[in-house]
Amino acid sequence: MQDLEFRQFIERVKLRSPIEVTIGERVSSLRQRGALYWACCPFHQEKTPSFAVDPRRATWRCYGACGEGGDVLSFVERFDGLSFLDALRLLARQCGEELPERSLRGQAKGAEVALELRFELLRWATDLYRKAWRGPEGAAARGYLQRRGLDEATLEAFGIGWASEGGHTLVDAAQREQKPLELLVEAGLARRNDAGRAYDFFRGRVLIPIRDRLGRVVGFGGRLLASDGAAQGPKYVNTPETPLFHKGSLIFGLDLAASAIRSAHQLLVVEGYTDVMAAHQAGWKNAVAVLGTSTTDEHAALIRRTGARSVVLVFDGDEAGRKASQRALAGLLKLPIELRVAVLPEGRDPGDLLVEPAGRAAFRTAVEGASEWFDWCLAGLADLRGSELANAVEERFQLLAQLARPLERSSRLAELARFLALPEVDVRAQWDAFERARRPAARPAAPAAATPRVGAERSPPPTGVAREERREVRAYALLLGALLLDNSLVPVYSHLAAGCPEGDLELLFRTLLELYERDESGAPIDASALMTALSDHPARQRAVGLQNLAQEAESAAVLARDQARWIERARVEREVARELESLKGGLGAQGDEELLALTRLHRELRAGRVPTHTVKPASVPSP
């Protein structure tokens, strides 16, 4: 069981993250019916809701195909694809609970320890860049962004920094503070020249920290500021690909925008870093940007997890902006959300518009009047003819190919034909040709699996011993579930924990006993409390299932009594069986009589006709 301080931190996070709210932000169909909230399970396909959230017990459970269950942390783990510690970090940030980083690092295991070292190094580098930004050498950079209309509060919120032009500031600081240079190189913050000497990767640039959805810095975007006015490389440079920095799986500003997205159920996608910052400053705190304009399946998964029901793409109004919008659409069309495209005045981008009063009004008009994505696609075809039209239609086909549902794709093709005033059969013929061209060559069929011969070997049915073992595991599972429902039964049946035949169940049982012995608050020790105590141990996932299994009984007390009696009878039966084995060698007349008596007793026990208290009265607790 985790230490008290860490358990209390987990419990605070769970209390400040109501399970029905947290899950409802991710599962938009969640609706209250009576005391529970119901939806179709987000972890498998189904038509009838079988996924239930119980706010009273702070647990969720699928009563359908997957049968999973847990607390708010286990849901975020599975839905968001996070580890236990990362799910805890995410919820802590969202509810405003201060992160005890030292305690979290203490909980890290194996590969997580190495990750924590890398995140710590990036935090250190971010602080160093921030100090340079605030100091005299950052004056030119501050002036540049102020001229762009960004105020101090916005720059502070996004953690803007400055990389000096010298080329060795970061490396020298790392050597002074004994930071590992190889990790700096791996993080994309330093490189080595041909002689093997390390130097700073970012030089003479405004640095914009790029964070993951948990708010951890994983890289930087650097905007060049040349002191002599001459360009010294590309205007914008990102951290190169590293173990932590993958452009295709990061969305800039998502950590800061998450709360606003959950409230509005809408997400704005703009093109650049300063566009995001200007949007947040102007009140559009649900704005984010992808690092490059093409969206990926990873971007789509991140957006799905925000709970957004609508995504509006806001790019420049020129041809480059149109192509950027198309590339951004491609990765999002598989999502079951509303997709729209806002067209800005030509030659203007969000970063310019949003720092002017009149520009903010124009931006709002564009967003509120955004076109449904396919209407926007069609509008771009209005003035095209001949081969130019055919090529443009094939561009749209690239988007239609991303749609997951054939019926929607067919409907869009019919809509396209009507808009172009062309025979639908011609549009579908071009679609078929497009499909043939993009379809990979058919592979030779794999040989069919041989049909098993009649009488071929099969797995043998479970033996009587295996059946008894399974029944004993189930008895302990039901008993433990009953104890979670009614904690007053814990001291009555605590002595049975030592005989639990399965490791995870025994851990759950012993954790329950430890909580019962230590807790003086009087709060119920239910599945949620058990999961909190076990932190990230895999056994925690079984707690809700045990509690729900026991709920099917009419009385927790009767259920516990019946399972305890079965467990005691099985124990005595095993003891009698062992005695029989030891007596089978023969011990004379008296031994034969004892063997006969034990054989009869064993037979009666197996038939369930002899209560265990007739054998060992002291071993059975009072019901």
Side-chain angles (χ1 to χ4, degrees):
M1 191 166 72
Q2 303 300 324
D3 65 79
L4 180 61
E5 182 183 1
F6 190 59
R7 291 205 323 269
Q8 288 175 338
F9 169 65
I10 295 173
E11 198 55 43
R12 289 197 304 273
V13 170
K14 289 169 69 169
L15 285 171
R16 297 182 66 180
S17 307
I19 190 167
E20 71 276 16
V21 175
T22 303
I23 294 180
E25 289 167 351
R26 291 162 171 79
V27 182
S28 59
S29 61
L30 192 69
R31 296 290 182 271
Q32 186 171 10
R33 294 207 318 255
L36 304 180
Y37 289 75
W38 292 86
C40 288
C41 182
F43 303 126
H44 68 273
Q45 296 294 322
E46 64 180 11
K47 295 180 180 179
T48 304
S50 65
F51 177 86
V53 177
D54 188 342
R56 299 164 303 175
R57 293 197 166 100
T59 58
W60 60 274
R61 172 78 183 203
C62 173
Y63 292 91
C66 71
E68 298 290 333
D71 59 1
V72 67
L73 281 165
S74 68
F75 181 87
V76 172
E77 275 184 76
R78 180 157 183 189
F79 190 90
D80 287 19
L82 300 173
S83 68
F84 173 82
L85 289 181
D86 284 347
L88 185 58
R89 280 192 179 92
L90 179 65
L91 289 182
R93 282 178 57 84
Q94 289 177 357
C95 72
E97 188 67 39
E98 186 176 353
L99 288 165
E101 287 294 345
R102 182 176 298 178
S103 181
L104 288 172
R105 285 197 295 274
Q107 299 298 323
K109 301 171 185 174
E112 286 183 333
V113 175
L115 278 178
E116 286 301 319
L117 287 174
R118 286 157 174 78
F119 283 124
E120 180 61 43
L121 185 69
L122 283 160
R123 280 194 293 272
W124 169 82
T126 303
D127 289 342
L128 199 73
Y129 292 138
R130 289 289 293 145
K131 289 176 184 174
W133 163 267
R134 296 187 185 106
E137 61 180 315
R142 294 196 302 274
Y144 162 72
L145 288 180
Q146 286 165 2
R147 289 192 297 275
R148 291 290 305 266
L150 298 173
D151 61 32
E152 185 59 33
T154 299
L155 299 177
E156 188 70 27
F158 282 87
I160 305 305
W162 168 251
S164 68
E165 295 174 308
H168 291 93
T169 304
L170 185 70
V171 167
D172 290 347
Q175 289 175 325
R176 282 195 308 272
E177 299 186 35
Q178 298 184 329
K179 302 291 182 183
L181 284 180
E182 286 311 312
L183 287 187
L184 271 187
V185 173
E186 182 193 273
L189 299 177
R191 286 188 172 177
R192 292 191 182 276
N193 59 22
D194 293 341
R197 186 183 176 191
Y199 63 91
D200 296 354
F201 177 72
F202 291 109
R203 290 158 291 172
R205 291 180 182 271
V206 175
L207 288 188
I208 303 162
I210 299 168
R211 299 180 175 87
D212 64 11
R213 56 184 158 151
L214 303 178
R216 300 175 299 193
V217 175
V218 294
F220 298 88
R223 205 286 184 188
L224 182 66
L225 283 186
S227 59
D228 60 0
Q232 298 175 3
K235 183 185 290 187
Y236 282 100
V237 170
N238 286 330
T239 294
E241 292 284 310
T242 74
L244 298 180
F245 185 85
H246 303 286
K247 288 174 64 174
S249 58
L250 290 166
I251 297 179
F252 177 71
L254 185 60
D255 60 311
L256 296 177
S259 177
I261 295 167
R262 287 194 302 273
S263 298
H265 296 293
Q266 184 189 66
L267 181 147
L268 300 186
V269 179
V270 295
E271 190 167 0
Y273 304 127
T274 54
D275 294 335
V276 174
M277 290 189 280
H280 279 241
Q281 181 174 293
W284 298 88
K285 296 189 181 295
N286 57 339
V288 300
V290 293
L291 308 182
T293 52
S294 296
T295 52
T296 64
D297 289 345
E298 288 84 358
H299 290 140
L302 287 172
I303 290 172
R304 181 179 69 89
R305 290 163 181 157
T306 65
R309 299 171 192 168
S310 168
V311 171
V312 182
L313 304 178
V314 189
F315 288 100
D316 300 357
D318 55 14
E319 179 62 15
R322 188 189 70 78
K323 289 187 176 297
S325 296
Q326 274 189 239
R327 291 195 296 273
L329 272 174
L332 305 180
L333 287 169
K334 294 175 183 176
L335 291 174
I337 58 176
E338 178 189 40
L339 280 170
R340 295 188 292 143
V341 181
V343 179
L344 298 179
E346 190 164 347
R348 305 301 302 275
D349 62 41
D352 295 330
L353 282 173
L354 286 166
V355 295
E356 308 166 359
R360 286 195 288 273
F363 183 87
R364 179 175 295 278
T365 299
V367 170
E368 291 178 351
S371 303
E372 194 268 345
W373 76 270
F374 198 62
D375 288 343
W376 174 81
C377 286
L378 294 177
L381 302 174
D383 300 322
L384 303 181
R385 299 289 183 274
S387 62
E388 201 175 31
L389 173 63
N391 292 336
V393 165
E394 293 228 345
E395 276 187 15
R396 275 59 175 181
F397 283 174
Q398 297 285 353
L399 296 177
L400 292 179
Q402 304 304 316
L403 296 175
R405 294 176 294 185
L407 188 60
E408 183 182 1
R409 190 161 53 240
S410 180
S411 171
R412 297 298 191 182
L413 287 171
E415 197 175 338
L416 175 61
R418 287 194 300 273
F419 179 83
L420 296 174
L422 292 173
E424 187 175 331
V425 65
D426 291 345
V427 172
R428 291 188 182 276
Q430 184 164 342
W431 168 259
D432 290 342
F434 167 80
E435 279 282 83
R436 284 194 298 273
R438 66 187 290 271
R439 192 177 298 136
R443 296 179 180 179
T451 304
R453 300 187 313 275
V454 176
E457 282 191 30
R458 296 182 181 178
S459 299
T463 63
V465 173
R467 280 196 300 272
E468 289 295 305
E469 288 173 351
R470 285 209 300 265
R471 176 63 183 89
E472 188 171 19
V473 168
R474 179 174 173 79
Y476 268 96
L478 288 167
L479 174 62
L480 188 51
L483 303 189
L484 289 171
L485 290 175
D486 185 348
N487 294 165
S488 69
L489 302 171
V490 172
V492 179
Y493 300 109
S494 59
H495 65 287
L496 293 174
C500 190
E502 197 224 68
D504 282 354
L505 278 179
E506 183 185 13
L507 175 64
L508 289 163
F509 206 152
R510 291 195 178 280
T511 304
L512 172 62
L513 297 182
E514 194 172 342
L515 285 174
Y516 187 87
E517 290 167 5
R518 291 186 181 184
D519 186 49
E520 297 178 355
S521 67
I525 306 168
D526 56 10
S528 179
L530 206 56
M531 294 182 79
T532 296
L534 287 168
S535 183
D536 61 342
H537 194 286
R540 72 192 299 272
Q541 304 294 352
R542 298 182 63 179
V544 171
L546 298 176
Q547 184 171 281
N548 283 45
L549 189 65
Q551 275 181 306
E552 297 173 8
E554 292 184 9
S555 163
V558 171
L559 178 65
R561 182 200 65 195
D562 290 347
Q563 303 314 307
R565 285 180 174 175
W566 191 95
I567 291 166
E568 288 285 1
R569 181 178 290 115
R571 181 183 59 78
V572 172
E573 183 182 328
R574 285 194 296 271
E575 290 178 8
V576 170
R578 283 195 294 270
E579 290 292 332
L580 279 171
E581 286 298 319
S582 67
L583 289 170
K584 281 181 180 177
L587 299 174
Q590 183 178 353
D592 288 342
E593 288 177 10
E594 188 174 347
L595 178 61
L596 185 60
L598 280 170
T599 302
R600 282 199 299 270
L601 177 58
H602 189 238
R603 191 180 304 118
E604 294 293 320
L605 278 168
R606 291 187 63 81
R609 289 195 289 267
V610 178
T612 53
H613 63 74
T614 63
V615 183
K616 295 203 173 187
S619 66
V620 180
S622 301

